[in-house]
Amino acid sequence: MENMIKEKTKAFLSKYFKKRELAEDEDIFSLGFVNSLFAMQLVMFIEKEFLVRLENEDLDLDNFRSIDLIAELVEKKLAAVS
């Protein structure tokens, strides 16, 4: 499951980071390409793609800094649902 989450997340991010191959542990915020619109698009992608609801307490930047951290967040949310 974790690999599928990472693959889908990486595919989504690659639309925005076209000239860069992102490592799964790379901090996407430190690259300087992230703005508030992108952050909202990322949240909407996660909710729609993985059928999870992100609450206010989930919206900590540290949950979204890398593909690895996004996958951890999604797995935690999916485990809470089941």
Side-chain angles (χ1 to χ4, degrees), residues 1-13 23-26 28-29 42 45-47 49-50 52 54 58 60-80:
M1 176 67 108
E2 182 179 347
N3 283 338
M4 182 269 300
I5 295 168
K6 288 180 181 183
E7 287 173 20
K8 288 185 176 191
T9 302
K10 195 170 195 173
F12 172 79
L13 293 173
E24 291 180 357
D25 62 347
E26 189 166 19
I28 62 173
F29 294 103
L42 180 57
F45 160 77
I46 291 168
E47 289 186 331
E49 186 67 38
F50 304 112
V52 296
L54 297 177
D58 299 319
D60 183 329
L61 285 182
D62 289 336
N63 287 329
F64 303 93
R65 288 197 177 279
S66 69
I67 294 169
D68 284 339
L69 291 170
I70 292 168
E72 283 180 30
L73 173 64
V74 171
E75 286 190 325
K76 181 177 80 172
K77 299 302 284 186
L78 290 172

Side-chain angles (χ1 to χ4, degrees), residues 32-45:
F33 299 118
V34 177
N35 59 32
S36 58
L37 176 59
F38 171 79
M40 289 309 303
Q41 289 172 322
L42 180 57
V43 167
M44 291 185 325
F45 160 77

